[in-house]
Amino acid sequence: MSGTQTLRVAVLAGGRSTEHDVSLSSGRAVCEGLEAAGYEALWVQIERDGAWRHEGRLLSVRPGEGLLGVDVVFGALHGPFGEDGTVQGLLETLDVAYVGAGVAASAVCMDKVLFKQLMEAAGVDQVGYVGVRERRWRIAPEQVLAEIAGLGLPVFVKPAHFGSSVGIAKVADVEQLPEALDEAFAHDALVIVEALARGVEVECGVLGPLASEPGEIVFAGDWYDYAAKYTPGGVELKIPARISASARERVRELALEAFEYTGCEGLARVDFFVDGERVLVNELNTMPGFTPTSVYAKLMGASGIAYPELLDRLCRLALERHGRHR
């Protein structure tokens, strides 16, 4: 980056969610990329118990006094207690600029059911779904199963507030549904059940007002599960996606619309199913995996934005937003 003053960025990584280790990988890559872009990166590790540490010491913060004197915070956190608005609210209280979505958008997009309800209200085509709260499942199981039956089989049963395919099961037999629901409720009191979507899985990155070239997810297994995501060679990203030019343009258009509808800022990765000319929105990630080999970085790289430049742009967007809000 240009200028006489080196900006300082605190990188938050780890966190209390089951995606702790994934976050550490993202955070390390972000630190290296920031330094390559000319920033000074300060590592802040959030332990599994929620404690914040810098250089081995517990951090103590005061409202309105920032964080370690940095100019920007990059929260490379995934899942609850990091990507759901909780940390964003703390950073707002500290009055420090931070990368990515704000409190409300983070909370909405972390809740898969709420996100789909918002897309439904906006008239966006998406995968059929049923949201189930644990209390309702316990007191009215037959009614819940009847609603799920309307989706057809197979279905995917997911905790509503988790990413990285944690706690997800593909169910092809109605007799397996109770066990799959109970397993998902072990992670979350709200579960989403989604219909099987035909076509290919396509992902599109958003950087401020720009949408990337869409990429197609290709995997060897039956579906895009945790093993496919995190086993070396388990997944391949084809850019551009092998879909029609009109479908690619529709993906980019819908990615920006979802970004705007949810009130996101900075970045997002929007996931789709594309069957011919039909494009269905699946979900939006406000802080996707962030190593140089992660899908989001690859999508932006294929769109002409190298990893250090990507981080530089995100920090600048964060500073601009903080300045506007103040």
Side-chain angles (χ1 to χ4, degrees):
M1 64 173 283
S2 61
T4 58
Q5 182 182 7
T6 299
L7 296 188
R8 307 171 81 226
V9 182
V11 178
L12 311 183
R16 295 171 58 187
S17 82
T18 55
E19 298 173 80
H20 179 94
D21 291 336
V22 177
S23 172
L24 291 178
S25 296
S26 291
R28 292 186 190 102
V30 167
C31 281
E32 292 175 4
L34 286 169
E35 289 168 356
Y39 290 85
E40 179 186 353
L42 283 69
W43 179 263
V44 177
Q45 184 157 323
I46 303 177
E47 307 295 354
R48 295 181 189 275
D49 63 1
W52 290 36
R53 286 188 168 84
H54 172 61
E55 296 181 342
R57 297 190 298 271
L58 281 173
L59 275 181
S60 178
V61 297
R62 291 177 180 272
E65 293 189 2
L67 178 66
L68 295 171
V70 301
D71 302 287
V72 184
V73 174
F74 194 115
L77 300 165
H78 309 306
F81 305 106
E83 199 179 347
D84 59 356
T86 52
V87 169
Q88 289 76 12
L90 174 59
L91 297 175
E92 292 281 357
T93 303
L94 297 179
D95 190 25
V96 62
Y98 60 92
V99 169
V103 177
S106 296
V108 166
C109 296
M110 193 73 230
D111 185 326
K112 292 180 174 65
V113 175
L114 189 56
F115 171 77
K116 286 185 180 292
Q117 289 172 340
L118 178 58
M119 293 298 99
E120 188 175 4
V124 175
D125 285 343
Q126 59 184 337
V127 178
Y129 73 97
V130 172
V132 185
R133 295 197 177 274
E134 185 174 15
R135 181 176 179 277
R136 184 161 176 265
W137 166 239
R138 303 305 176 200
I139 64 175
E142 293 182 358
Q143 185 178 359
V144 169
L145 290 174
E147 292 177 6
I148 294 173
L151 298 174
L153 290 173
V155 293
F156 292 91
V157 181
K158 308 177 181 181
H161 296 91
F162 282 72
S164 294
S165 298
V166 173
I168 297 179
K170 181 180 181 181
V171 179
D173 186 333
V174 68
E175 294 181 357
Q176 298 172 341
L177 273 171
E179 181 181 353
L181 287 165
D182 286 338
E183 173 61 25
F185 284 128
H187 294 277
D188 199 332
L190 177 63
V191 164
I192 186 167
V193 183
E194 294 178 344
L196 175 70
R198 304 295 177 185
V200 298
E201 295 199 28
V202 173
E203 301 188 350
C204 184
V206 178
L207 175 62
L210 304 174
S212 75
E213 178 70 44
E216 177 186 347
I217 300 295
V218 181
F219 44 89
D222 187 36
W223 56 285
Y224 193 24
D225 61 3
Y226 188 93
K229 287 184 177 180
Y230 297 111
T231 300
V235 64
E236 180 183 358
L237 178 66
K238 289 189 176 294
I239 308 174
R242 295 172 297 182
I243 55 179
S244 70
S246 57
R248 282 203 300 273
E249 189 56 35
R250 182 59 177 156
V251 164
R252 297 177 75 246
E253 181 181 273
L254 281 175
L256 292 174
E257 287 184 11
F259 189 83
E260 290 294 327
Y261 286 143
T262 54
C264 282
E265 296 184 77
L267 76 153
R269 194 196 71 226
V270 189
D271 302 345
F272 300 85
F273 289 101
V274 180
D275 186 11
E277 295 302 306
R278 189 181 188 206
V279 178
L280 301 177
V281 172
N282 188 32
E283 60 185 62
L284 184 153
N285 294 271
T286 57
M287 184 52 68
F290 224 92
T291 70
T293 58
S294 296
V295 170
Y296 180 80
K298 286 184 175 180
L299 291 171
M300 301 314 299
S303 304
I305 303 172
Y307 192 74
E309 181 187 352
L310 173 61
L311 294 170
D312 178 52
R313 289 199 191 187
L314 286 170
C315 289
R316 291 183 182 280
L317 287 170
L319 288 166
E320 290 170 7
R321 177 182 65 183
H322 187 245
R324 290 197 308 270
H325 288 184
R326 295 192 75 184

